[in-house]
Amino acid sequence: MKTKQLTLTAIFLSIILLFSFTPLGFINLGFIKATLVHIPVIIGAIILGPRIGALLGLSFGVLSMVINTMTPSILSFAFSPFIPVLGTNETSLWAIVIALVPRILTGVVPYYVFKWLQNKKMGTKSTLFIAGVTGSMVNTILVMNLIYFIFQDAYAASKNIAVGEGLYKAVLSVIFINGVPEAIVAGIATSAVAFVLLKVYQKNQS
């Protein structure tokens, strides 16, 4: 079983790498491009458990730091400790927290949501869908709120709006406009893929 776990872990890590560095990691929904990178983290957590899920999430976070360092965008200061915070000449180690903590939890929370809902005797596909949606929203909500609380001034500058009530509305708009479609995609993918993988994995365990 350890060999099978290692093999599956390596496969999930490969998919995360592929999604991170190629256009395959995004799906065009018309009004936004939804990221798919967190989906193998969520599925891996449900199939292999929270420890490996956390490892996959950590890998996702580290890759996020690498990408934001190598090809910086206006918000890369929030994900890379090597990019100066917007409007300053200083970098921040808080970027490591934003890049890693939500992604690690993305690989932990779905497993416990799935197990909890299983105990409620819900259907497997519905349970997987909800777990997928939850994992995706954990990532989006934590990332956006951490950026808001830690880099409030820099985030306001990146959006060209004043610090205040309007700034958090901008955060909420990202959560709803980007986060909700990504969560639905994650839920559908998790329900479809994890449903099959769970059957295969559990059959091999018996």
Side-chain angles (χ1 to χ4, degrees):
M1 286 312 302
K2 283 185 178 180
T3 303
K4 288 172 184 174
Q5 264 195 342
L6 284 171
T7 303
L8 269 177
T9 303
I11 291 170
F12 283 121
L13 284 170
S14 300
I15 295 170
I16 292 168
L17 275 165
L18 182 66
F19 281 4
S20 295
F21 289 104
T22 71
L24 292 173
F26 300 89
I27 182 170
N28 195 335
L29 297 177
F31 56 97
I32 65 153
K33 281 188 175 180
T35 180
L36 304 177
V37 184
H38 57 299
I39 293 175
V41 177
I42 294 167
I43 295 173
I46 292 169
I47 303 297
L48 300 171
R51 288 186 181 180
I52 292 177
L55 172 64
L56 295 172
L58 176 64
S59 303
F60 173 23
V62 170
L63 285 169
S64 174
M65 283 197 292
V66 170
I67 291 166
N68 278 281
T69 302
M70 292 171 61
T71 55
S73 64
I74 195 167
L75 281 179
S76 288
F77 65 84
F79 302 97
S80 171
F82 305 105
I83 303 296
V85 177
L86 195 64
T88 76
N89 293 318
E90 298 179 354
T91 59
S92 174
L93 292 177
W94 281 108
I96 299 173
V97 175
I98 296 173
L100 298 186
V101 173
R103 279 63 188 272
I104 291 171
L105 290 175
T106 299
V108 174
V109 173
Y111 172 82
Y112 290 106
V113 170
F114 174 68
K115 289 298 180 184
W116 181 70
L117 290 173
Q118 266 194 324
N119 291 333
K120 299 293 180 183
K121 307 299 181 184
M122 284 185 66
T124 303
K125 284 195 173 182
S126 299
T127 301
L128 289 169
F129 178 81
I130 295 169
V133 168
T134 304
S136 182
M137 290 307 295
V138 162
N139 179 53
T140 303
I141 290 170
L142 282 180
V143 165
M144 291 311 302
N145 278 282
L146 284 170
I147 289 174
Y148 174 76
F149 287 112
I150 295 170
F151 295 118
Q152 195 168 110
D153 292 336
Y155 185 68
S158 74
K159 294 291 182 181
N160 291 316
I161 56 178
V163 175
E165 185 180 343
L167 182 60
Y168 198 70
K169 285 180 180 177
V171 170
L172 289 175
S173 71
V174 173
I175 291 172
F176 283 102
I177 295 172
N178 287 51
V180 171
E182 286 179 359
I184 292 169
V185 171
I188 293 169
T190 302
S191 179
V193 178
F195 182 76
V196 176
L197 288 178
L198 271 174
K199 281 190 171 183
V200 173
Y201 192 67
Q202 289 169 352
K203 186 178 179 181
N204 287 336
Q205 279 185 312
S206 59

